[in-house]
């Protein structure tokens, strides 16, 4: 029987996951289809019931359902429990297991960005949504000692800090109000900056002023594009990377969980690049309205490879 894997989101039409997962199934001889399910929040419980059927191998979960999925599955992995977000579901019989593969995806991207340098111990994170939760948990478990979270709506950053209260009890995790001057002074004493907001996804804007950036920074933007932030950071001499590796490796981890086989990374990366060249840049389901001409306007390289995601934009 052909198995089914679905991406549940709302909307999902712009997701990049479909391009890489179907190609990976086909390449590895896995008899499965990857379908996009646009389900409004009210339809989520029914979608989860359907997933329990024998024909389903599992699912991916995206905006706006990652947090809502937590109480709907039967068991959570440590990473899903800690982040309070599920982006991948596997099956044990009819039981649903919730995973968060954004966390290993982020860790892989961070390791590649840091390279041979010493892993920093202080970070500034912009954003407090689902992506930021995976980032903050990845940093805590990596041994960071000070993480400052800035978010447009401060209460959401405070909620994130509270959520990680226990796992961050040994270190300093703080929410701060979004003021350019405060961000600039925090960045002056920080080595790592992660953008986990969606600023720069649909417009050529940067979340912070270029003057706040300096040459000692490592800058990771979760957005899968050479955003204005990355271009300005590279111009300041910083080492930069976009969201490609995180996206690729969260998808590869999900593929391995569903199939028990290692993912064909090169092929998946190639499919992502093709989708990006076609104008897609959102890792999630946001209605981007971003077409190839906009991508061109911000100077994207459609043929960027894994290494070039880090190296080409680096001004080292
Ligand atoms: P959420 O919707 O959960 O969070 C969005 C975040 O962006 C919030 O912190 C929000 O602030 C902030 N934000 C949005 N618009 C503005 C604005 N105009 N001004 C200031 N802040 C703004 O999304 P996710 O956390 O899931 O995703 C965030 C980004 O990370 C997206 O671009 C997504 O594509 C990317 N991502 C990439 C991944 C990858 O694998 N590369 C994985 C996961 C995410 P507020 O709370 O104040 O509204």
């Amino acid at each position: 029987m052909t198995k089914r894997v679905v991406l549940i989101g709302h909307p999902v039409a712009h997701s990049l996951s479909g391009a890489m997962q179907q190609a990976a199934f086909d390449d590895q001889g896995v008899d499965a289809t990857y379908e996009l399910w646009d389900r409004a929040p009210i339809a989520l419980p029914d979608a989860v019931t359907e997933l329990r059927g024998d024909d389903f191998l599992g699912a991916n979960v995206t905006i706006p359902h990652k947090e809502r999925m937590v109480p709907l599955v039967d068991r959570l992995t440590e990473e899903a429990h800690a982040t309070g977000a599920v982006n991948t579901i596997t099956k044990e019989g009819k039981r649903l297991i919730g995973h968060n593969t954004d966390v290993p995806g982020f860790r892989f991207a961070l390791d590649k960005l840091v390279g041979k340098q010493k892993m920093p111990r202080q970070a500034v994170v912009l954003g407090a949504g689902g992506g930021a939760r995976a980032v903050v948990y990845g940093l805590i478990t990596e041994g960071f000692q000070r993480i400052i979270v800035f978010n447009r709506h401060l209460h959401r950053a405070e909620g994130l800090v509270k959520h990680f209260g226990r796992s961050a009890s040994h270190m300093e995790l703080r929410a701060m109000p979004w003021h350019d001057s405060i961000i600039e002074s925090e960045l002056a004493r920080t080595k790592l900056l992660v953008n986990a907001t969606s600023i720069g996804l649909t417009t050529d804007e940067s979340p912070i002023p270029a003057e706040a950036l300096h040459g000692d920074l490592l800058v990771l933007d979760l957005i899968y594009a050479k955003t204005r932030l990355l271009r300005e950071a590279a111009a300041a001499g910083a080492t930069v990377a976009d969201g490609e590796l995180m996206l690729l490796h969260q998808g590869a981890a999900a593929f391995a969980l569903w199939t028990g086989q290692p993912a064909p990374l090169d092929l998946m990366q190639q499919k992502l690049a093709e989708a990006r060249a076609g104008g897609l840049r959102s890792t999630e389901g946001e209605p981007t309205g971003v077409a190839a001409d906009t991508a061109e306007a911000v100077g994207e390289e459609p043929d960027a490879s894994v290494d070039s995601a880090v190296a080409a934009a680096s001004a080292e």
Side-chain angles (χ1 to χ4, degrees):
M1 182 196 346
T2 300
K3 295 283 189 179
R4 300 166 73 188
V5 178
V6 292
L7 169 66
I8 310 174
H10 184 62
V12 289
H14 295 279
S15 171
L16 285 158
S17 294
M20 62 174 173
Q21 296 293 5
Q22 187 64 59
F25 289 150
D26 296 345
D27 180 72
Q28 294 297 297
V30 178
D31 184 13
T33 57
Y34 191 89
E35 303 165 29
L36 305 183
W37 275 8
D38 190 334
R39 296 288 187 273
I42 197 167
L44 196 59
D46 284 347
V48 171
T49 303
E50 203 178 335
L51 274 185
R52 296 182 191 277
D54 290 341
D55 46 340
F56 287 91
L57 208 54
N60 272 145
V61 182
T62 188
I63 285 178
H65 301 317
K66 286 185 188 180
E67 283 143 46
R68 281 192 194 91
M69 194 57 87
V70 168
L72 298 178
V73 296
D74 303 302
R75 184 165 69 78
L76 295 171
T77 61
E78 185 192 324
E79 280 149 352
H81 177 73
T83 53
V86 167
N87 83 325
T88 299
I89 294 174
T90 57
K91 311 263 305 279
E92 282 174 2
K94 290 201 184 315
R95 283 165 54 82
L96 303 179
I97 318 302
H99 306 251
N100 190 320
T101 67
D102 283 337
V103 176
F106 167 71
R107 282 211 199 98
F108 193 96
L110 177 67
D111 281 349
K112 188 86 177 176
L113 176 66
V114 172
K116 292 194 171 66
Q117 301 180 52
K118 196 166 162 268
M119 183 60 74
R121 291 287 167 243
Q122 304 204 2
V124 165
V125 176
L126 307 176
R133 280 181 181 222
V135 167
V136 168
Y137 185 65
L139 294 173
I140 293 171
T141 51
E142 189 67 50
F144 274 64
Q145 289 303 309
R146 187 167 192 271
I147 305 170
I148 307 299
V149 181
F150 291 95
N151 196 52
R152 173 178 57 178
H153 295 105
L154 178 61
H155 68 89
R156 215 172 162 203
E158 288 169 341
L160 181 150
V161 167
K162 200 165 162 209
H163 174 87
F164 285 111
R166 191 171 293 182
S167 37
S169 57
H170 61 290
M171 43 85 68
E172 185 182 1
L173 173 63
R174 289 174 68 184
M176 285 197 185
W178 189 295
H179 289 303
D180 288 351
S181 59
I182 306 180
I183 296 176
E184 187 165 356
S185 79
E186 279 303 323
L187 282 180
R189 54 188 290 203
T190 305
K191 179 92 183 158
L192 178 69
L193 167 65
V194 182
N195 178 37
T197 74
S198 41
I199 303 171
L201 182 68
T202 57
T203 58
D204 190 28
E205 281 176 279
S206 172
I208 53 172
E211 305 77 66
L213 299 162
H214 58 81
D216 286 338
L217 278 173
L218 300 165
V219 183
L220 178 63
D221 196 330
L222 300 201
I223 295 171
Y224 178 29
K226 295 291 174 288
T227 56
R228 182 178 202 122
L229 170 67
L230 294 183
R231 284 184 277 120
E232 290 180 346
T239 303
V240 306
D242 70 17
E244 181 191 25
L245 284 185
M246 180 169 171
L247 175 63
L248 178 65
H249 285 272
Q250 66 75 29
F255 179 93
L257 286 167
W258 297 320
T259 65
Q261 295 173 212
L265 273 174
D266 289 347
L267 174 77
M268 290 170 84
Q269 189 195 354
Q270 181 198 325
K271 292 294 162 188
L272 279 182
E274 284 170 17
R276 175 156 81 169
L280 288 180
R281 68 201 309 204
S282 169
T283 60
E284 304 285 2
E286 300 97 334
T288 67
V290 175
D293 54 341
T294 315
E296 218 170 84
V298 300
E300 291 187 84
E301 301 283 342
D303 60 345
S305 69
V306 167
D307 286 338
S308 69
V310 173
S314 167
E316 276 180 320

